[in-house]
Amino acid sequence: MRPHAQSVMPNFHALRIALIGNHPPRRCGIATYTRDVAAALRAAGHAVHVTAMSEPGSTHAYGAAVDLVVPRDLRAAYAATERAIARWRPDVVLVQHEFGIFGGPAGLWLTDLLDAARVPAILQLHTVLGHPDRDQRAAMDALYRRAAGIVVMARSGRDILRGTYGTGVPIDVIPHGVPDHPPVQPAAMRRRLGWPERPTLLTFGLLSPGKGIETAIEALPAILERVPDVRYVLLGATHPALLAQEGERYRDGLAARARQLGVDHALNMENRYVDDGDLCDALRAADLYVTPYLNPEQITSGTLAYALACGVPTVSTPYRHAEEVLEPDFLFPFGDAGALAARSVPLLSRPSLRDAVGRGLWTASRAAIWPVHASRLGEALRAAARTANVLAIPAA
């Protein structure tokens, strides 16, 4: 049995869970997480009913994976949809929360949906703001009054909630779920994928300015001085919102910057959206994963969690999630290309160091594989379901 593998206990109590969030084919990290956590909860024995929030102008073909769709900007749909969910008689509602998913000021209309459901709700927060604006604070305070529990994926999220919001709602820290793949040598995976046999850096995700890709490109000259055959793979489509606004101008600007620096021969930009299987293959083909993100408040990164689960050494800026899971030697200051290069070269040039670091990351990540994640999340959901069936909603 793999470490932390779960078996069904004799006192296991299956739940009927109404899961609300984004969902593929919408392209975003929360959509992917919603799909994956639904599958993990079902594999654990629970029944899951999925409601997808749709952005304006979307025409996604959700298929049988999604039971209901709510137009984000149509307020009347919130209460009406949740009454439909209530007819399914869920034990608990699990909300994937991020500002922008829900309509109204800072997503306030989600409260209409929860009020109509009138069953205990868990808020799973993908963003926790330490300095919310007025609308964000009002929306979160209203949601906390309606929540039977909160789930965050990093300890700092719990600290912010208690320090900034003073909420007395139970808070569980459950790290982001990850796939369970065996370790593999990057060279073997490169051969399988048909990639050239060169030391390889990788950054994955929907391309947008906040990802800090400029820093990684500007680090390439210094890395190439020490590792002349290095290859930097930038894997991912342009963010749909950015693409609609300005086309590929941002991507073209990154390519132009690489040419200016004389490192375009080392940069491979793959403009495509990949599924989890292709992502994990790409991660395991890399010697080093880089997350040069610019937002210090970022509390969850699914791609970082996946990289560690695949046993890929990672260097990163010190946003909140990275600070919690990486040693200081693998962190570099925001926007500091020289420090990124200094952190990267030892891992790229010393295979024994890279392998040792990767093995440690892979072993530690077994505590977050999807069966374990679903088990811990199920415990939080069962605790919420034991609260009063009709929640008392205090006045604002």
Side-chain angles (χ1 to χ4, degrees):
M1 179 180 292
R2 290 189 181 276
H4 303 286
Q6 300 295 298
S7 58
V8 177
M9 302 301 292
N11 60 352
F12 173 81
H13 172 62
L15 296 170
R16 294 170 65 86
I17 302 165
L19 175 59
I20 301 168
N22 296 340
H23 196 282
R26 184 170 177 174
R27 294 181 173 182
C28 73
I30 294 178
T32 301
Y33 176 83
T34 302
R35 177 199 63 198
D36 292 344
V37 80
L41 288 167
R42 290 185 181 115
H46 304 290
V48 182
H49 181 288
V50 176
T51 295
M53 305 300 302
S54 67
E55 71 274 36
S58 67
T59 55
H60 300 310
Y62 291 107
V66 170
D67 301 284
L68 293 168
V69 179
V70 181
R72 187 191 69 190
D73 292 342
L74 182 61
R75 185 171 188 176
Y78 284 70
T81 299
E82 196 53 36
R83 284 193 289 271
I85 293 175
R87 288 195 290 272
W88 187 65
R89 303 187 65 174
D91 300 300
V92 64
V93 174
L94 174 59
V95 178
Q96 302 305 311
H97 184 273
E98 168 69 76
F99 294 101
I101 291 181
F102 304 98
L108 182 63
W109 294 351
L110 174 58
T111 58
D112 295 353
L113 192 153
L114 298 181
D115 290 350
R118 302 189 69 78
V119 296
I122 286 275
L123 300 176
Q124 190 161 14
L125 305 180
H126 292 257
T127 294
V128 181
L129 298 177
H131 303 282
D133 64 28
R134 183 173 64 181
D135 285 344
Q136 291 164 342
R137 178 62 189 255
M140 296 314 297
D141 284 345
L143 288 171
Y144 296 151
R145 290 195 299 271
R146 290 160 170 82
I150 297 170
V151 171
V152 292
M153 299 187 190
R155 295 185 302 275
S156 57
R158 178 179 57 196
D159 296 340
I160 294 171
L161 287 172
R162 289 175 174 167
T164 301
Y165 299 92
T167 177
V169 177
I171 303 170
D172 287 284
V173 180
I174 304 175
H176 195 292
V178 295
D180 188 12
H181 292 297
V184 65
Q185 282 295 316
M189 185 58 71
R190 287 194 285 270
R191 286 194 296 272
R192 175 177 157 186
L193 297 180
W195 287 14
E197 184 40 48
R198 295 164 57 185
T200 302
L201 291 83
L202 174 71
T203 296
F204 166 81
L206 294 173
L207 195 63
S208 65
K211 296 294 177 67
I213 305 302
E214 297 89 342
T215 306
I217 291 174
E218 288 165 6
L220 283 176
I223 296 174
L224 284 161
E225 287 182 6
R226 298 286 302 278
V227 190
D229 55 345
V230 76
R231 178 174 183 251
Y232 179 35
V233 177
L234 182 56
L235 176 60
T238 301
H239 194 287
L242 186 66
L243 188 64
Q245 182 179 355
E246 62 177 44
E248 295 290 6
R249 187 173 66 181
Y250 178 66
R251 182 182 294 272
D252 293 343
L254 293 175
R257 181 59 176 151
R259 288 193 297 272
Q260 290 170 357
L261 292 169
V263 298
D264 50 308
H265 66 285
L267 178 63
N268 181 33
M269 302 176 72
E270 295 196 20
N271 187 359
R272 60 190 179 95
Y273 189 81
V274 300
D275 61 21
D276 287 1
D278 288 340
L279 168 58
C280 289
D281 285 349
L283 285 167
R284 293 189 292 163
D287 296 291
L288 184 64
Y289 190 65
V290 182
T291 60
Y293 304 160
L294 300 178
N295 179 10
E297 299 300 314
Q298 182 166 343
I299 204 161
T300 303
S301 170
T303 60
L304 173 59
Y306 272 42
L308 305 186
C310 289
V312 187
T314 300
V315 295
S316 176
T317 49
Y319 57 92
R320 291 185 181 275
H321 186 182
E323 276 192 309
E324 289 195 12
V325 297
L326 295 175
E327 296 294 330
D329 286 349
F330 304 119
L331 300 174
F332 62 91
F334 295 98
D336 191 333
L340 192 165
R343 298 289 188 268
S344 301
V345 166
L347 291 162
L348 291 169
S349 58
R350 295 172 55 193
S352 60
L353 173 63
R354 181 199 65 216
D355 291 348
V357 171
R359 283 194 301 272
L361 295 172
W362 184 89
T363 299
S365 294
R366 297 315 90 194
I369 60 174
W370 282 114
V372 180
H373 183 81
S375 176
R376 295 189 60 189
L377 188 56
E379 292 172 8
L381 291 165
R382 277 190 288 273
R386 288 194 292 267
T387 63
N389 187 51
V390 178
L391 295 180
I393 302 172

